[in-house]
Amino acid sequence: MFGKKAEVALELDNLEGRKTATFKDSSGKEVSLPVYTGNEDISGRLVVNMKRGKKIEHQGVKVELIGRIDITYERNQTSDFVSMSRELEPPGTINESATIPFSFNKVDKQFETYQGRFCKVRYIIKTTILRKNFSSNIVNEQEVSVLNTTNETEESTSIKMEVGIEECLHIEFEYNKHKYHLKDCILGKVNFLLVRIRIKYMEIAIIRRETIGAGAQATNENETVAKFEVMDGAPVRGEFIPIRVFLGAFDLTPTYYNVNNKFSVRHFLNLVLVDEEDRRYFKQQEIVLWRKDL
Amino acid sequence: MDEEQQKYLDDAIAVVKQEAYEMHQALDSSNLKEALKHANNMISELKTSLLSPKTYYELYMQIFDELNKLETYFLDAQRKGRSMMSLYEKVQQTPAVLPRIYLLITVGSACIQTKEATAKEILRDLIEMVKGVQFPIRGLFLRYYLNKLCKDKLPDSDSDLDEQDGTVADSVDFLLANLAEMNKLWIRLQNTANTQEKSKREKERNDLRVTVGENINRLSSLQGVNQELYQTSVLPKILEVITSSKDPISQQYLMDCIIQAFPDAFHLHTLSTLLQAFSELQPSVDINSILVNLLTRLSEFIGESEIGIANEVDIFGLIEAHLNKIIENPSSDLKKLLQLQVSFLSFTIKCYPKSTDHVNTILNSCVNIIAKNCPDKKVDADSVKHIVKLLSIPLETLSLAILSMNHYPELLSYLAFSARKQVSFKIVKAAISCRKILDSLSVVNELFDFATPLWACDSDEDDIDDYEFEEEQQNMAKLVHLVKSQSLDATFKILEVFKKNFSSGGDNRIKFTFPALFFAYAKLLPFADSNNDINAIDSILKIMAEIIKKIFKIDPESSLKYHLQCMQAINSLKSKAEFEQYAFEFVSQAFRVYFDEFANSRSKFSAISMIAGTLVGSNCFEEENFDTLVFKCTQFSARQLKKADQCKGVAICTHLFYNKYYQNEVRVLECLNRAAKTASICIFNPKNVFLFVVLLNTYIYYHNLGVDSIGSSSINKIIQLIKDQLESIENGHEEIFDTDEIKTYYFNTIKYIRARQLEDKLVGIII
């Protein structure tokens, strides 16, 4: 209906040269979104192209920035952790084409955009031209993504561990750090101290764990997001097998602790040994992932 | 290859071809990501566990070729600006370990070639990363690929690299690490099998061993691995890999690899290290064959310049001590121990060309070995062969120095008659071929001792074919010609031994040995003569007569020529006058032999020719005696069975009347007339025209000498006769025999006449 009167578009500033990030939406379709950092201003404009001789009477024009968490586990629940609204125009009439700028400055967008299995964090810019009476509002939405880099602050200690099944398998493994940035490389080695099983291969899996809720009601959901074979065949006692995993090869996100009390995302390295009867022997170690740069 | 394997291979190769095709398509459109994906799929075919090593190798080679092309593409891309190091990181994101490392090696090779990274860095990284594949066959081939791809990129002393970019030490470390790991994988292949599959596994391992040994070959081909580095570092490390493995198949093969791969000069300098390592190998390792290889190689290698080394270090002592340890090992078997001693002996002789003591020591060891392992003295056939070698090798270089080795006859006694004879024969041949001068009675006695089977009638004598026997006896006979001593007396004594021993050999041997003995004595005559030692000559001649008597008994006909030989020998003495009676007697004996023993007309003719020929050259007779002999000779010639022989014989006899010492034209003419007469009687047989040609030549001979009574007219007559005869044969309706020979003889004669006529000789002859 309104289309007859005007074409309304939401445009963001400075998109040229801005990084984009690709996410999969719930249907699995990839979408590419412009990337903002947590304290970056988001500015844009609402462009209204009026058709000749038409006018729009409205109750006001506003723009909103919404930070939203969707949990699709068991039952869907949606909550907004950011919800900011700006009045762009008081109630009145738009007679001719106009460009209405807007800007959200200094809004803290602490959570990163995230598309997990059950949890999502999304940022949406939404403009609304409120209409009188029963006419429907003119709404435009644009999703943006927020990615935050962090500095390497703490010392990243190595992970070293000896595990085994008595009289069967005994190994010692070592990862050079426990904190890795997303383009990092895991270096390590596995030392076979005792091998009494016929090992077929060894692989490293990266497991992403979404913890939904908090406290006693919290539930964990694991998902293997990467698999990497590090050894083919069965080693003998005393063998050191090198581990070198370039994380850049995988689609990973940083570790998120307690996203607005709704969920957490953690990562585990799972060292898996598979024997000739396809029995799996594994050991999980948590690693912390962080974003060094965009 | 069985059907099943072929099918697996065909399936795999079909995939490889398809993926390779798509890889090349992607490369052509510069889509590297896609190309790597197909390369990954292609290499993934190598993940199979269904293929036997040989089949796997075929698949590997197919993929190897494709990866070579991929590397070429990488190098090309690098020139166009692509970073190889970033590609090196990128391929490491491949999720499956086997294709990942194949790709990594391929890119790594390109990194070194383009100098984006130093060989040192890449080699270190690759040798670490290949550890990810622990499956024996897959791991071995992967590391084989690594080895192949890096072989021309290993820093070496002659490569123009900065020291920090890599030195030969890095290459050595790289290859040693690869060797050690491959060896482990190779051995593991054995352990993964249950006992029923043991032999199958061993076969598979055998098929795969070259992949492991390749590392040792590579090490040996490094220029920088010189003798010093080899001795101080490379060899001890390889040996550490070998001895620590405790796997007999691996130890056996790799020890052999070392010996085959590295230069013999290195082995010579590291002999003690090698020998030490041998003693640390598993008991079931067949050290013998390795040692045999080593010693054989060294003995072929050692030349003049290396002998010095042998003296610096007591190599002999080292090896001997080591071999003694092996001998003590109760599990060693006789055959192998002796084989080892054979190669040790060859080596020792090369190393210490003059040392009879060392050889004697080895022979002693052999005697001990046999005594210990074979108390009943029944030595098997292979061992016999080795003993024969042990006895004959020293002969080849030391020849009769063996006569001074007390263990030699001891060892010889272990052989059965035929083998013993074989060695004896070699000893005899050695003596002959080195022209050993037999000048001492003791040496000759020992030689006869060693050669007993050849000259004595032995109880365990076996059948032998005539040819072999003849060869043996001929060589025995040759020995007598080696006798030469300072004094006639000493020589006499030595020949006495020969005579005694030869006599005891029985008629079959005497037939061969006595003629030689006869001539050996004959050789002494000129010496005795020059000393005016009439007594010596006398006794020599008596012995010769005695020898002839023996020969006569065995082969009467042949004694004729020995009689004549004696006469001739006397004829050439200064003091021939003293022995005229002997000479006369010898010729008379020859006539007796002729008369009594010769039956065949052909041999009769040649015998009488021989007698006539000998007499022609002699002047040792009193005139009367000579006349008697000449008369007899002419008489026998004229009484040949065949007319043709009579004719020829009489023609020959003319020379008895006209020679250096005696000229009697009348008798010559008489003989010729008689011969001509005989020839004329024979003319009914056209074949006998030959006789006229013979006569023609005889006539011309005397005409040339200026015997007046033989003039051109008689010669012309003969020529005319021959011409007529030949013509009538030509025109004869039937060609009854081949006239070529006669014609040739005739025309050559004519040619001769013509030539003489050009010099104004024989002018009266009409041809």
Side-chain angles (χ1 to χ4, degrees):
Chain A
M1 263 164 82
F2 64 86
K4 286 174 186 169
K5 291 177 178 168
E7 279 177 10
V8 181
L10 170 58
E11 289 177 5
L12 294 172
D13 292 341
N14 306 321
L15 281 187
E16 245 171 70
R18 181 170 291 279
K19 275 201 153 56
T20 57
T22 308
F23 296 89
K24 275 190 183 130
D25 70 8
S26 46
S27 64
K29 206 176 81 184
E30 284 191 348
V31 288
S32 178
L33 302 176
V35 174
Y36 292 82
T37 54
N39 50 10
E40 207 177 346
D41 299 344
I42 302 174
S43 62
R45 54 206 176 271
L46 189 66
V47 181
V48 185
N49 274 319
M50 296 303 296
K51 297 223 165 129
R52 189 176 295 273
K54 302 282 181 181
K55 61 176 181 185
I56 301 173
E57 281 177 16
H58 61 85
Q59 296 283 76
V61 178
K62 66 170 180 178
V63 61
E64 289 165 287
L65 170 63
I66 302 158
R68 179 166 293 164
I69 295 172
D70 293 322
I71 308 280
T72 53
Y73 189 71
E74 286 177 348
R75 56 190 175 81
N76 290 354
Q77 46 169 308
T78 298
S79 61
D80 293 344
F81 57 91
V82 173
S83 182
M84 299 198 70
S85 185
R86 299 256 192 282
E87 187 91 356
L88 295 179
E89 292 284 329
T93 307
I94 302 173
N95 294 320
E96 51 187 25
S97 295
T99 297
I100 309 159
F102 62 85
S103 177
F104 293 98
N105 296 341
K106 305 232 166 3
V107 180
D108 185 21
K109 304 173 280 295
Q110 70 172 113
F111 305 119
E112 286 199 336
T113 302
Y114 171 74
Q115 289 273 12
R117 192 165 163 212
F118 297 108
C119 308
K120 275 179 206 159
V121 174
R122 301 195 297 147
Y123 287 90
I124 303 149
I125 309 279
K126 183 179 178 185
T127 54
T128 313
I129 301 174
L130 292 162
R131 300 293 303 275
K132 270 189 194 165
N133 305 329
F134 302 104
S135 301
S136 54
N137 297 337
I138 302 171
V139 178
N140 285 63
E141 271 186 11
Q142 166 72 51
E143 194 170 345
V144 297
S145 70
V146 171
L147 299 178
N148 287 324
T149 60
T150 33
N151 294 325
E152 199 171 7
T153 47
E154 291 172 60
E155 191 79 352
S156 180
T157 52
S158 65
I159 299 171
K160 198 168 179 179
M161 193 162 228
E162 210 180 306
V163 290
I165 305 163
E166 207 160 325
E167 293 301 303
C168 178
L169 179 69
H170 217 75
I171 63 169
E172 189 181 62
F173 64 86
E174 189 180 337
Y175 305 125
N176 61 333
K177 297 192 277 194
H178 78 280
K179 287 189 166 189
Y180 294 96
H181 63 78
L182 296 179
K183 305 271 168 59
D184 217 344
C185 177
I186 300 172
L187 296 175
K189 59 180 182 237
V190 183
N191 180 11
F192 285 82
L193 303 170
L194 175 79
V195 191
R196 293 260 171 83
I197 52 171
R198 288 168 178 269
I199 298 170
K200 200 155 70 173
Y201 62 90
M202 173 168 73
E203 65 182 14
I204 286 202
I206 299 172
I207 292 169
R208 179 161 71 192
R209 175 182 298 169
E210 289 179 344
T211 306
I212 300 143
Q217 277 95 49
T219 47
N220 291 327
E221 281 300 322
N222 291 340
E223 181 188 6
T224 300
V225 287
K227 266 188 183 176
F228 193 76
E229 187 187 16
V230 287
M231 183 183 76
D232 170 25
V236 288
R237 200 165 63 87
E239 205 75 64
F240 281 91
I241 305 299
I243 291 172
R244 185 186 295 167
V245 185
F246 287 92
L247 293 175
F250 312 116
D251 191 13
L252 297 171
T253 67
T255 298
Y256 304 131
Y257 292 115
N258 195 13
V259 179
N260 211 34
N261 287 324
K262 298 288 183 200
F263 72 98
S264 296
V265 177
R266 291 157 71 202
H267 295 90
F268 297 83
L269 282 184
N270 194 18
L271 186 69
V272 188
L273 286 152
V274 180
D275 74 5
E276 285 182 353
E277 277 83 47
D278 283 327
R279 282 189 293 257
R280 297 165 72 83
Y281 307 81
F282 58 86
K283 181 70 188 172
Q284 293 185 3
Q285 283 294 312
E286 181 166 10
I287 53 167
V288 176
L289 296 180
W290 55 284
R291 192 182 302 282
K292 192 177 179 190
D293 40 38
L294 294 179
Chain B
M1 196 189 306
D2 62 34
E3 244 171 69
E4 199 179 30
Q5 285 284 303
Q6 186 65 54
K7 192 188 169 305
Y8 290 142
L9 179 64
D10 291 346
D11 290 351
I13 282 182
V15 175
V16 167
K17 282 189 171 153
Q18 177 62 31
E19 294 293 339
Y21 172 78
E22 286 180 45
M23 178 181 86
H24 290 301
Q25 292 286 98
L27 289 176
D28 287 345
S29 53
S30 297
N31 188 344
L32 192 60
K33 194 178 166 196
E34 190 69 10
L36 288 177
K37 190 183 99 186
H38 291 296
N40 173 57
N41 294 346
M42 175 180 82
I43 301 165
S44 295
E45 286 303 307
L46 285 174
K47 282 158 102 176
T48 176
S49 325
L50 298 170
L51 300 181
S52 71
K54 279 190 171 165
T55 326
Y56 194 89
Y57 177 73
E58 285 189 40
L59 180 61
Y60 162 86
M61 279 314 292
Q62 191 91 18
I63 290 170
F64 178 81
D65 288 344
E66 294 301 335
L67 288 178
N68 270 345
K69 292 178 202 161
L70 187 63
E71 191 192 359
T72 312
Y73 176 85
F74 288 158
L75 292 172
D76 200 42
Q78 198 267 352
R79 278 191 289 278
K80 289 174 186 157
R82 183 175 277 279
S83 154
M84 283 300 108
M85 279 317 281
S86 69
L87 190 60
Y88 191 73
E89 188 180 317
K90 187 173 173 58
V91 294
Q92 294 193 55
Q93 298 180 358
T94 312
V97 64
L98 192 72
R100 177 165 74 239
I101 300 175
Y102 268 102
L103 285 172
L104 191 66
I105 294 168
T106 314
V107 181
S109 166
C111 286
I112 300 175
Q113 275 187 80
T114 59
K115 295 199 175 1
E116 275 195 34
T118 64
K120 185 178 178 167
E121 291 169 325
I122 297 288
L123 293 179
R124 275 199 188 162
D125 195 50
L126 290 176
I127 201 70
E128 182 65 18
M129 295 316 286
V130 286
K131 282 185 182 171
V133 179
Q134 294 286 333
F135 188 88
I137 294 185
R138 296 197 282 270
L140 284 172
F141 275 95
L142 177 68
R143 286 172 178 273
Y144 185 62
Y145 180 68
L146 174 63
N147 196 337
K148 281 278 170 208
L149 227 62
C150 293
K151 69 175 178 188
D152 54 345
K153 289 150 195 117
L154 297 173
D156 200 350
S157 57
D158 57 356
S159 47
D160 50 344
L161 289 174
D162 286 342
E163 204 151 290
Q164 65 265 28
D165 293 348
T167 63
V168 73
D170 296 309
S171 303
V172 169
D173 288 347
F174 171 80
L175 291 167
L176 283 171
N178 206 32
L179 172 69
E181 291 294 327
M182 286 180 87
N183 195 34
K184 280 198 250 172
L185 290 171
W186 188 39
I187 294 167
R188 207 176 300 162
L189 188 63
Q190 187 80 56
N191 302 338
T192 54
N194 53 38
T195 42
Q196 284 147 2
E197 284 183 315
K198 189 164 174 268
S199 64
K200 189 183 155 205
R201 287 293 177 200
E202 278 176 8
K203 193 193 162 296
E204 288 186 353
R205 285 191 62 189
N206 198 45
D207 290 341
L208 287 164
R209 63 184 192 175
V210 286
T211 63
V212 186
E214 183 69 13
N215 291 296
I216 292 179
N217 292 338
R218 203 49 59 211
L219 277 167
S220 81
S221 66
L222 288 173
Q223 291 291 319
V225 176
N226 53 26
Q227 191 176 307
E228 199 204 332
L229 189 64
Y230 176 75
Q231 199 166 352
T232 55
S233 160
V234 175
L235 179 65
K237 285 176 184 164
I238 300 179
L239 290 177
E240 165 65 24
V241 169
I242 295 174
T243 51
S244 65
S245 81
K246 312 270 182 241
D247 177 83
I249 296 179
S250 155
Q251 293 186 334
Q252 175 104 42
Y253 173 67
L254 294 180
M255 282 309 277
D256 223 30
C257 270
I258 295 180
I259 287 160
Q260 304 294 340
F262 289 101
D264 298 323
F266 288 15
H267 297 324
L268 205 55
H269 284 90
T270 54
L271 210 51
S272 60
T273 317
L274 279 175
L275 291 173
Q276 178 56 36
F278 283 135
S279 61
E280 289 168 28
L281 301 180
Q282 294 297 297
S284 62
V285 174
D286 177 13
I287 298 172
N288 273 49
S289 59
I290 308 173
L291 260 177
V292 167
N293 276 352
L294 175 64
L295 293 176
T296 309
R297 277 184 63 129
L298 287 182
S299 37
E300 278 162 20
F301 163 71
I302 290 175
E304 293 294 325
S305 56
E306 285 78 23
I307 290 174
I309 302 167
N311 295 327
E312 267 169 43
V313 199
D314 178 19
I315 292 188
F316 181 83
L318 276 174
I319 302 179
E320 197 210 350
H322 187 74
L323 297 196
N324 285 343
K325 264 191 267 172
I326 297 179
I327 294 169
E328 281 161 26
N329 183 346
S331 68
S332 323
D333 85 350
L334 179 65
K335 179 167 59 186
K336 289 192 164 176
L337 288 174
L338 289 176
Q339 188 193 15
L340 192 50
Q341 295 290 340
V342 169
S343 40
F344 183 32
L345 182 68
S346 320
F347 171 78
T348 303
I349 282 178
K350 273 294 184 66
C351 243
Y352 308 90
K354 299 261 167 352
S355 174
T356 51
D357 285 353
H358 283 343
V359 174
N360 204 23
T361 309
I362 296 175
L363 297 180
N364 186 27
S365 299
C366 296
V367 170
N368 294 339
I369 290 170
I370 303 170
K372 188 177 153 227
N373 287 276
C374 199
D376 59 354
K377 281 203 167 198
K378 280 185 184 147
V379 182
D380 64 285
D382 282 335
S383 300
V384 166
K385 274 186 204 152
H386 294 316
I387 297 175
V388 170
K389 274 191 196 155
L390 283 163
L391 293 169
S392 31
I393 292 170
L395 276 173
E396 286 158 18
T397 51
L398 296 168
S399 86
L400 297 194
I402 53 135
L403 299 179
S404 65
M405 298 175 194
N406 57 336
H407 297 296
Y408 197 101
E410 250 184 280
L411 190 58
L412 189 59
S413 72
Y414 280 103
L415 296 176
F417 180 79
S418 68
R420 212 157 63 226
K421 193 172 71 180
Q422 208 183 331
V423 175
S424 303
F425 188 47
K426 282 187 175 157
I427 296 173
V428 169
K429 281 185 103 165
I432 293 164
S433 70
C434 72
R435 296 170 192 273
K436 165 88 182 171
I437 293 187
L438 300 176
D439 54 0
S440 100
L441 202 56
S442 64
V443 168
V444 170
N445 275 323
E446 278 177 40
L447 187 59
F448 269 101
D449 229 21
F450 279 83
T452 309
L454 292 177
W455 57 264
C457 294
D458 200 295
S459 54
D460 52 357
E461 194 165 353
D462 44 22
D463 287 335
I464 176 167
D465 69 62
D466 292 346
Y467 175 76
E468 223 174 287
F469 180 76
E470 198 174 318
E471 204 195 348
E472 283 167 14
Q473 295 309 316
Q474 277 169 354
N475 279 286
M476 272 317 279
K478 280 182 189 171
L479 283 180
V480 76
H481 294 303
L482 301 171
V483 174
K484 189 179 184 181
S485 197
Q486 284 155 333
S487 74
L488 204 57
D489 224 31
T491 314
F492 240 73
K493 283 192 177 125
I494 295 173
L495 288 180
E496 199 59 36
V497 174
F498 272 91
K499 188 150 72 77
K500 193 184 107 223
N501 290 332
F502 281 172
S503 304
S504 68
D507 289 353
N508 283 339
R509 293 190 177 85
I510 287 174
K511 198 162 90 184
F512 294 99
T513 52
F514 262 45
L517 190 64
F518 173 86
F519 284 103
Y521 276 107
K523 266 200 306 193
L524 297 182
L525 286 171
F527 289 106
D529 191 38
S530 63
N531 294 343
N532 292 317
D533 191 341
I534 302 294
N535 288 335
I537 298 175
D538 190 76
S539 38
I540 294 168
L541 287 171
K542 279 179 177 152
I543 293 170
M544 288 169 75
E546 190 193 321
I547 292 172
I548 297 175
K549 223 184 251 174
K550 192 90 185 177
I551 294 175
F552 175 81
K553 274 190 194 153
I554 297 162
D555 183 8
E557 282 195 19
S558 76
S559 71
L560 181 129
K561 60 176 183 259
Y562 298 106
H563 283 117
L564 293 176
Q565 190 70 41
C566 284
M567 185 277 271
Q568 214 163 30
I570 293 168
N571 195 51
S572 51
L573 294 176
K574 276 194 300 185
S575 49
K576 56 182 124 183
E578 302 272 346
F579 298 98
E580 198 248 352
Q581 280 309 311
Y582 280 28
F584 186 79
E585 182 56 26
F586 278 124
V587 182
S588 307
Q589 286 298 324
F591 279 126
R592 218 195 87 202
V593 172
Y594 172 82
F595 194 75
D596 293 345
E597 307 295 339
F598 281 72
N600 178 302
S601 64
R602 184 182 293 249
S603 57
K604 263 185 147 170
F605 176 73
S606 62
I608 204 69
S609 307
M610 200 191 295
I611 296 174
T614 315
L615 284 174
V616 164
S618 65
N619 63 342
C620 58
F621 297 103
E622 302 271 332
E623 199 179 334
E624 197 185 328
N625 280 339
F626 188 67
D627 280 346
T628 314
L629 296 174
V630 166
F631 173 74
K632 264 227 141 79
C633 186
T634 321
Q635 197 180 30
F636 281 134
S637 302
R639 286 185 193 161
Q640 293 291 313
L641 182 66
K642 292 182 184 167
K643 287 281 180 206
D645 287 344
Q646 287 175 12
C647 171
K648 283 192 281 179
V650 172
I652 287 168
C653 284
T654 57
H655 296 288
L656 291 171
F657 304 111
Y658 204 95
N659 55 50
K660 205 157 67 173
Y661 307 111
Y662 187 83
Q663 290 94 21
N664 187 339
E665 286 186 28
V666 181
R667 299 292 297 277
V668 172
L669 204 59
E670 268 176 33
C671 284
L672 284 176
N673 287 338
R674 182 165 184 170
K677 212 171 120 195
T678 318
S680 310
I681 300 169
C682 298
I683 208 74
F684 301 112
N685 182 353
K687 212 172 178 176
N688 284 330
V689 68
F690 179 74
L691 293 174
F692 284 98
V693 186
V694 173
L695 277 176
L696 172 63
N697 276 277
T698 317
Y699 271 82
I700 292 169
Y701 172 77
Y702 289 110
H703 187 71
N704 268 336
L705 285 178
V707 177
D708 294 339
S709 47
I710 294 164
S712 327
S713 62
S714 39
I715 296 177
N716 288 337
K717 250 164 66 194
I718 298 175
I719 293 177
Q720 193 51 52
L721 209 132
I722 296 171
K723 278 184 180 166
D724 293 348
Q725 281 293 317
L726 286 178
E727 206 172 315
S728 75
I729 292 170
E730 294 278 298
N731 298 336
H733 291 295
E734 38 190 348
E735 187 85 340
I736 39 168
F737 67 101
D738 190 5
T739 56
D740 280 359
E741 206 183 324
I742 299 170
K743 278 183 186 163
T744 310
Y745 190 16
Y746 172 67
F747 289 127
N748 282 340
T749 311
I750 296 299
K751 221 186 272 172
Y752 168 76
I753 296 169
R754 222 174 249 140
R756 294 291 286 169
Q757 284 180 344
L758 287 176
E759 298 164 21
D760 285 336
K761 302 274 166 57
L762 303 176
V763 282
I765 297 171
I766 305 152
I767 47 175

